[in-house]
Amino acid sequence: MSPRRAAPIVHPNRAFSVGEAQRHGVSRQRLRAADFEKPFYGIRAATRPMSFLDDRCRDFLPRMPLGGVYSHVTAAGLYSMPLPSRLSGRTELHISVPSERRAVDAKGIIGHRTTLGHRDSDRRFGYLVTTPERTWCDLAAMLTLPELVAVGDKLIARRLPQCRKENLTGAVERHGPRRGVRNLRRAIDLLSDRAESPRESLLRVAIILAGLPAPTVNKSVFDASGRFLGRLDLSYPHLKLSMEYQGDHHRTDRVQWQRDIARTRALQAAGWTELQFTQADLDNPAGFIAQLRFILARLTH
C-alpha cells in the first residue's frame, strides 16, 4: 500500500514557500493557478483584492533570515509615521540583519546590515520590527532635518504617543557615529510634543532654522470674556500673531472653510493678526520667511 499523501494547501491563512507546499503534495501546476499570488520569489499566498503593508510583511516571513527585522521605511509605515511622498510611495520592504550576516538580496527587498541591540526591535505586530525609537534613528539617513522633526513630533505627540522624548534621546546616544547622527542630535532639541500635524512641524522648523524666535505650539486662546476662540497652530502670544497651516481640506470642505472664516474673524475682533500658509510656502520657504521677518520687526518696534 502506498503511503497516504498529506492534504494539499489550497488557501492557507498565511504565505508559504513553494518548498513547503511541495512537501504537502501540492503540484507545481497547482501553484501556478490564478488563486495564488507570487509576492516574492519562491513564495505563494492566497490572492487578495487588496494588499496592505502588513500583508506584504507577512508574505515574506517564510524567507526571513535568522535575525532579520523589518526596518527603515517599512517600519515607519507600520507605525504610521508621516513620511514624505518620495518614500511613502515606495513598495519595497526594508529588512535589516545583524552586521555579521549577509544583507537580504531579493526582488522587492532593500537589505541593510547593521548593529541591532536587544532594545532595538520587538514583536508588537507579530513579527520582528525595529522599535519606533530605532526606526527614527534609521530614517535620519533618508530625511531632511525638518522631516525628521516632523516624524519625531508624531512619535512623542501628547495625543497617542508611541514613545517619550527621553526614549528618542537614549536611542540617539546608542546610535553612534552613523550617517544622519548630526541631524538626529539637532532634531532632539527641536521636537515638540504639542505638534498636531506634520505640516505644522515643517513650518515651525523652517521658522526656527531661519533664525527667527521659536513660536508657541498649539496655544488655546480666549477672548476677554473667557470665550474659547481656538487653538492656534503656531503663535507669538505676546504679539498676538498667529500662524495657521491650511491644508487642502480647509479649502474643499465647505463646513471647515466656513468655520475657518468665523474663527479668523473672532481672532481679529480680539486683536489678533492671523497669517495663513500652504504647501506652496513649505516648498519655497524663503518668501514667507522674509515676510514673517518683516512683520515681526514691525510688531516689535
Side-chain angles (χ1 to χ4, degrees):
M1 180 181 292
S2 60
R4 183 178 179 181
R5 296 181 64 188
I9 302 173
V10 180
H11 280 294
N13 57 7
R14 60 170 177 81
F16 54 90
S17 68
V18 169
E20 178 188 359
Q22 291 177 336
R23 288 193 296 272
H24 283 75
V26 182
S27 68
R28 287 185 176 274
Q29 182 179 3
R30 176 70 184 89
L31 292 172
R32 289 194 290 267
D35 57 346
F36 284 133
E37 294 180 349
K38 303 175 183 177
F40 300 99
Y41 178 79
I43 293 178
R44 299 292 184 272
T47 299
R48 298 175 292 248
M50 293 183 65
S51 179
F52 298 95
L53 178 57
D54 179 70
D55 295 325
R56 301 207 314 276
C57 288
R58 293 183 185 280
D59 286 346
F60 193 77
L61 290 178
R63 286 190 60 187
M64 179 66 81
L66 182 65
V69 53
Y70 291 113
S71 63
H72 295 77
V73 173
T74 301
L78 291 168
Y79 292 121
S80 299
M81 296 182 188
L83 296 180
S85 58
R86 70 177 184 278
L87 296 179
S88 62
R90 303 295 296 266
T91 60
E92 302 95 337
L93 297 182
H94 287 252
I95 296 176
S96 290
V97 297
S99 55
E100 66 272 13
R101 299 186 63 86
R102 182 179 178 182
V104 179
D105 182 13
K107 184 178 180 180
I109 302 296
I110 296 178
H112 305 268
R113 295 170 62 243
T114 188
T115 301
L116 293 167
H118 69 279
R119 289 181 288 180
D120 289 333
S121 62
D122 62 38
R123 292 184 176 273
R124 70 184 68 186
F125 297 101
Y127 42 81
L128 281 174
V129 181
T130 50
T131 61
E133 301 93 321
R134 174 56 191 262
T135 302
W136 189 63
C137 290
D138 287 336
L139 290 174
M142 303 177 173
L143 300 177
T144 65
L145 176 58
E147 291 167 347
L148 194 60
V149 174
V151 174
D153 283 354
K154 176 68 162 52
L155 291 178
I156 66 172
R158 293 187 180 187
R159 297 182 178 183
L160 302 176
Q162 297 193 56
C163 63
R164 296 178 300 173
K165 184 176 179 180
E166 306 89 88
N167 301 134
L168 294 180
T169 301
V172 172
E173 292 172 353
R174 296 193 301 272
H175 196 61
R178 306 181 201 179
R179 183 183 171 196
V181 70
R182 180 175 298 180
N183 271 353
L184 282 171
R185 291 170 179 159
R186 295 177 69 192
I188 285 290
D189 294 330
L190 295 171
L191 295 180
S192 172
D193 64 354
R194 300 185 64 87
E196 295 181 356
S197 79
R199 295 294 184 272
E200 172 195 308
S201 297
L202 295 174
L203 182 62
R204 184 183 85 248
V205 175
I207 291 170
I208 296 172
L209 293 184
L212 297 175
T216 299
V217 181
N218 281 301
K219 178 179 177 59
S220 294
V221 176
F222 304 84
D223 66 12
S225 64
R227 181 171 64 93
F228 177 70
L229 299 180
R231 192 168 61 253
L232 311 179
D233 287 352
L234 302 172
S235 64
Y236 294 108
H238 64 294
L239 300 175
K240 284 196 169 184
L241 177 65
S242 74
M243 294 162 284
E244 298 295 309
Y245 180 83
Q246 301 287 2
D248 276 352
H249 71 282
H250 290 267
R251 174 179 57 85
T252 59
D253 186 324
R254 183 178 179 84
V255 174
Q256 182 66 55
W257 174 64
Q258 292 173 336
R259 187 183 298 125
D260 289 342
I261 290 177
R263 193 187 82 149
T264 298
R265 192 166 57 243
L267 285 169
Q268 290 173 338
W272 283 79
T273 299
E274 182 180 82
L275 305 178
Q276 297 185 352
F277 301 89
T278 67
Q279 181 61 48
D281 295 303
L282 292 179
D283 292 338
N284 183 23
F288 89 77
I289 288 295
Q291 294 170 349
L292 180 58
R293 195 184 303 277
F294 174 80
I295 293 170
L296 289 175
R298 186 187 67 194
L299 292 176
T300 53
H301 290 89

